[in-house]
Amino acid sequence: MRPFDPSADYPLGSERPDLITTPSGMPLGALTVDALVGGTIPQGDLRATAETLGMQAAVARANGRADLAENLERAAELTAIPDEMILDIYTALRPRRSSAHDLEALATRLEHDHLAVSVAAFIREAAVAYADRGLLA
Amino acid sequence: MTRRDARAQRDVRKEVFIEPIPELGLITMDGPTDPRPGITIDGGVISEIDGVSADDFDIIDRFLAGHGIDAGIAVEAMGIPDLDLARMLVSVDVPRADLVRLSAGLTPAKLAKVVSLLDPVEMMYALKKLRARRSPANQAHVTNRKENPALLAADAAEAAARGFAEIETTVGVARYAPFNAIAILVGSQAGRPGVLTQCAVEERRNLHLGLRGLTTYSETLSVYGTAGALIDGDDTPWSKAFLASAYASRGIKVRFTSGTGSEALMGHADGCSMLYLEARCLAMIRGAGSQGVQNGSISLVALPLALPGGSRVILAENLIAAWLGLEVASGNDAISSHSPIRKTAKLMGQLLPGTDFITSGYSVMPRYDNVFGGGNYDAEDLDEWAIIQRDWQVDGGIEPLSEDAAIEVRRRGALAIQAVFAGLGFPPITDVEVETAVTGFDSTAMPDRDRSADAAAADRAVADGVSGADVAIALSAAAFDDIAEAVLGMQRLRVSADYLQTSAIVDAAWTVRSAINEPNDYTGPGTGYRLEGDRWELLRTLPHQQDAADLAAAAGPGGVTRWDVGPAGTSSDPLDVVIAVGPGYMGILGSTIAGHGHPAVLAAISDGVTAGGGHPRFVRVLRTADLAFIGHDAAVLAGSGVAIGLQSKGTAVIHQSDLEPLDNLELFSMAPLLTLDAYYAIGENAASYALGTAPSPVPIEIDNYARAKLIVKTTLMHARESEAVTPDAEPVEFDLEFTEG
C-alpha cells in the first residue's frame, strides 16, 4: 500500500479511500443505502476514526495550519470518549467550575483510561492558567 | 411639509449616530488607548504582548502566548514596519501564503494597526487576495415562525437549488431542534446533494444533533476580545477550544463567531477600539484550532454603524480573519440599516472582493419568517441580488432560479419530509401543509400543527437517538432513492472528515472543495477565481429577462387598411398639414413604445388637425429614421409649411419648413408618456401654427422612471426603424380606412 502523503492525498475520501474506514472497519465504498437498509452498518458507525482525524491533522500541518492540526489531534483522541463525558469535560473547563485537583484528576483519567495525552496536556495547561487568573472553583 | 420634516422622515433618520466614546469601547479603530504593537521573546517564550508583560497577562494573552502567536515567526513578522506590511497586503507580488505565514507572528495590536492603514478599496483588494477558498460561496438562513417542517424543507430545498453551500436554521422552541434539523437536512438534500446544514441551539443540544448526523456544521462557538466579556459569556479560550475539538471528533465542521461591538455591548471593552478587540478574538480563534470564523459584527452590526467608520471597521475585521488564514463567513446577515442604500453600500465591501461566505445567512424566506431577528436580505431581495451579481460580473454565491423550478424543488423537499415524518412515526404532515408550503408566501398561510404533539415527538426522537441514517432509511422506504443517497452521503462526509479542513464546501458531485485542494491563488489580473464561462452564463441569465426580439416585434395593425396614394407632392393648400411617419410605421413596427396602435395614433393626430381647422395629409418618409428630418422633410411638402413628424416608437415633433432641420416648434421626446389625447392635442396645435395662431404647448405627463424602464425598448425599436430606411427614396403619400371600431 502506498504510504500516506499529507501534502498530496487530500481529499482523503476521493484520493485515498483505501485508508478510510468507519470505526467498525467498513470501507467508504460499503456505505450504501442498501447496506443501511439491510442493517449491516452498525448504529453510530457513520463517523470518523481517530486514525482518519490523525491523517486530517497531518494534512492541516502540511498546509501550514499547525493550530488546526493540534485541534484535530485532540479530536482524534476524543473519538474514544463517550458523548456525556465530552460535555462534562466542557463544563469542567468553564470558568470557576473546577478546582486544580478536579482538573488534574480529569487529565489523569483521560491520559490513563482513554490514552488522550494531548487533551490531558491541554487541560493541565488550562489548570495552570486558571490558577494564575483566579478562574478555579 | 417643510424641507426639515421631509428629511427627518427618511427611514435612515430612524437610526442613531453618535461620536466615538473610547472609554466605552465605542470607537471603531485606532482607539486613543489601544496598546502599541510589541512583543518580547525570551528563550523562545513570549514574555510580553502589546505592552503587557507575562505577569500581567489576562486569560486571553495567556492563551495567545501558547497558541495564537507563533514565537518562531514573531521576531521576523513584528520587525516589519506597519506601512511595509500594509503595502504587502495589497501587492500583487506578495502571495497569500507568505502573508498568512507572517500573520502567525503578529500580535493583535499589530494586526489592527496595519489594517487600519488601508483605505476601503485597499481593504477590498487585500480581502480578495487573502480569501481562503478560491471561489466565494454563500450561506442561507431557513426558519419560519410556525416551525412548520414542510415549509422548512421547502425553503431549504429552494435555498439548495439556488446554490447556497450551507444552510442554517434555529428554533423558537428549543425542543423542536431535532425536527428543524431533520427538515432542513431532508430539504437541502432534495434541492442539491452536498449542502452542509446546521441548527443553531444551545451547545449540548447542538452537539447531540451533530453526533446523530442530523447536522454537519456548527458556528455557535462565540468568543469575545476581553477577559471580562469572555468570562461573562461563561467560557475561557480553553473551554471553547475544547468544544471545537469535541465537534471535530464527531466529524462536525466548526467555525467560531466573533464580531466588533460585542465587548462594548457587554460593558467589557476595557477602553479599547472594536478592531483591536476583534483582532484579539481572531488570534484566539486561530489559536484554538478553528478552521474559520463568522465575523463582521453579525447581530450587533448596528452598533459599529452608529459610529464613524462603521462599514470600514467591519470590512477590516473580515480582512484580519482572512489574513490569519481563517475561513470567513462575513456577516451581512442581521439587519444593518433601515436604508436599502446604506446596507447595500456596506455589502459591497464583501460582495465585490468575494469572501468564503458572502453572508453568514441570507434569509431565503420573507422577513416575517426569519426567527434570527429578520434578515438583512430576504426572499423579496433575491432578484436584486442576482441583478447586482450580473451588473458587476461578480459571484455572490446565489444562482437565479425560475419560479417554475423553485416550485418543483420546493415540492420535492416538502414531499420528502412528509415521507420522513410518516416513516419515523412523527405527527403526520398533511397534503394541505405540503401544498401550502410549496406555493404559499409565508407561514401565515400554513395550517397550524399540534405543537405539543410535535414537541413531545421531538423529545422522543432525542431519547430514541433518531439519526441521519434513520432519515436515509425512511427516505429509501418511501422510494425517495436519490434523496436517501444524498442524506447518506452527508453521513459519509463525516467518515472521511475532509470537510473539517479550512473553508470546505461540498459540491453536487460530492467533491470537497477547501483551501487545501482549491486554495485562493489570486496574484493579480489574469489569475485566481474570475466569474466567466459557464458560471457567468448561469449567473447572468435572469429568469425574467426578456427576449430582445419580442420587445420590438411588429403588432399587426388590425381593423385598418392603408394604401399608398403615390409619391408625395408639394401642396398649395395653405391649410395643408402633413403628418409624416417613419419608414417602419405600420410596417416593420405596429405600435408605439407606450403601446398605442399606430393607426389609432394617426387617427388621433388627424382628428386634432381637423378640429384645429387644418387639412391633414399622411406621408411616409423612407430615407431617414431621424425624427428631425422626418418632420422637416414633411414640412417642406406641406402647403401650410407645418408638419408633424412621428417615429414608429411614438416620438413626435411639430416642424416648420423655414426652420433648420434640428430646430422645431414643439418636440415630444418622451414617447412613453404620450397618450392618444396628447396626440390629438399635437394635431390641434399643428393646425394652429398653420393658421398662424399661437397655441398653448401640449401638456405632458412626467414620469422620471420612463427612461429607466424603456430605454432598452427605445433602442431596439429605433434600430428596427433604421433597418426600414431606404436611402434616397422619395416620401410616399398614403391614406387609411378604418374598417371597425
Side-chain angles (χ1 to χ4, degrees), chain B residues 247-518:
Chain B
Y247 277 107
S249 74
R250 269 55 182 170
I252 302 161
K253 172 180 173 174
V254 164
R255 76 169 65 90
F256 279 52
T257 295
S258 61
T260 47
S262 56
E263 299 85 3
L265 186 73
M266 295 168 83
H268 283 294
D270 297 353
C272 295
S273 75
M274 292 177 172
L275 187 62
Y276 165 68
L277 295 182
E278 179 60 13
R280 275 168 58 93
C281 289
L282 293 167
M284 181 170 32
I285 287 166
R286 186 172 67 176
S290 177
Q291 62 82 30
V293 66
Q294 161 185 231
N295 86 342
S297 208
I298 312 298
S299 53
L300 310 183
V301 60
L303 190 56
L305 288 180
L307 295 164
S311 286
R312 181 165 175 259
V313 74
I314 293 168
L315 176 56
E317 63 176 301
N318 296 147
L319 173 57
I320 292 175
W323 189 6
L324 290 170
L326 297 167
E327 172 198 67
V328 181
S330 56
N332 295 311
D333 52 348
I335 294 174
S336 61
S337 175
H338 294 73
S339 156
I341 294 174
R342 190 171 181 229
K343 71 183 186 184
T344 303
K346 188 246 157 245
L347 170 70
M348 293 302 107
Q350 291 76 34
L351 180 80
L352 296 181
T355 64
D356 297 297
F357 295 88
I358 310 285
T359 77
S360 304
Y362 183 113
S363 175
V364 295
M365 321 73 59
R367 180 166 294 160
Y368 170 83
D369 272 326
N370 186 316
V371 299
F372 287 101
N376 201 35
Y377 295 98
D378 303 286
E380 296 94 322
D381 305 318
L382 282 164
D383 284 344
E384 268 99 328
W385 188 283
I387 291 163
I388 291 169
Q389 291 180 145
R390 190 179 189 267
D391 288 343
W392 283 107
Q393 194 172 347
V394 152
D395 191 338
I398 306 180
E399 299 166 14
L401 189 70
S402 73
E403 188 59 18
D404 287 348
I407 295 285
E408 188 182 327
V409 77
R410 293 178 68 85
R411 180 162 284 117
R412 208 168 119 80
L415 288 170
I417 194 66
Q418 184 186 40
V420 167
F421 266 49
L424 295 177
F426 298 157
I429 295 171
T430 65
D431 292 345
V432 175
E433 283 178 88
V434 168
E435 194 52 35
T436 311
V438 171
T439 58
F441 177 67
D442 63 23
S443 67
T444 54
M446 293 299 294
D448 291 320
R449 290 176 61 82
D450 180 342
R451 301 203 54 156
S452 63
D454 276 345
D459 289 345
R460 281 198 305 279
V462 173
D464 296 348
V466 168
S467 69
D470 297 325
V471 171
I473 291 169
L475 286 163
S476 174
F480 286 98
D481 291 339
D482 50 347
I483 308 176
E485 176 56 42
V487 169
L488 177 62
M490 300 308 289
Q491 315 302 312
R492 226 185 269 121
L493 286 177
R494 294 172 355 114
V495 176
S496 60
D498 286 312
Y499 78 135
L500 302 186
Q501 299 292 350
T502 302
S503 201
I505 56 176
V506 183
D507 70 19
W510 295 104
T511 304
V512 177
R513 295 163 52 204
S514 72
I516 304 286
N517 59 338
E518 292 196 12

Side-chain angles (χ1 to χ4, degrees), chain A residues 14 22 26 29 35 38 49 104 128 134:
Chain A
S14 52
T22 65
M26 294 186 77
T49 63
E104 179 51 38
V128 175

Side-chain angles (χ1 to χ4, degrees), chain B residues 76-134:
Chain B
E76 173 196 356
M78 291 295 287
I80 303 174
D82 297 342
L83 193 59
D84 289 6
L85 268 177
R87 295 174 68 91
M88 289 165 73
L89 287 175
V90 296
S91 166
V92 291
D93 298 322
V94 183
R96 172 180 184 274
D98 292 2
L99 289 163
V100 172
R101 186 188 71 84
L102 287 171
S103 73
L106 298 176
T107 64
K110 182 86 168 182
L111 290 164
K113 181 69 199 169
V114 170
V115 166
S116 75
L117 297 174
L118 302 183
D119 76 12
V121 176
E122 291 161 347
M123 287 183 194
M124 286 164 73
Y125 186 80
L127 183 55
K128 174 183 175 66
K129 193 169 97 172
L130 290 168
R131 178 181 69 234
R133 194 193 319 110
R134 191 166 190 272

Side-chain angles (χ1 to χ4, degrees), chain B residues 543-557:
Chain B
H544 57 279
Q545 72 185 30
Q546 286 163 282
D547 187 337
D550 295 343
L551 282 174

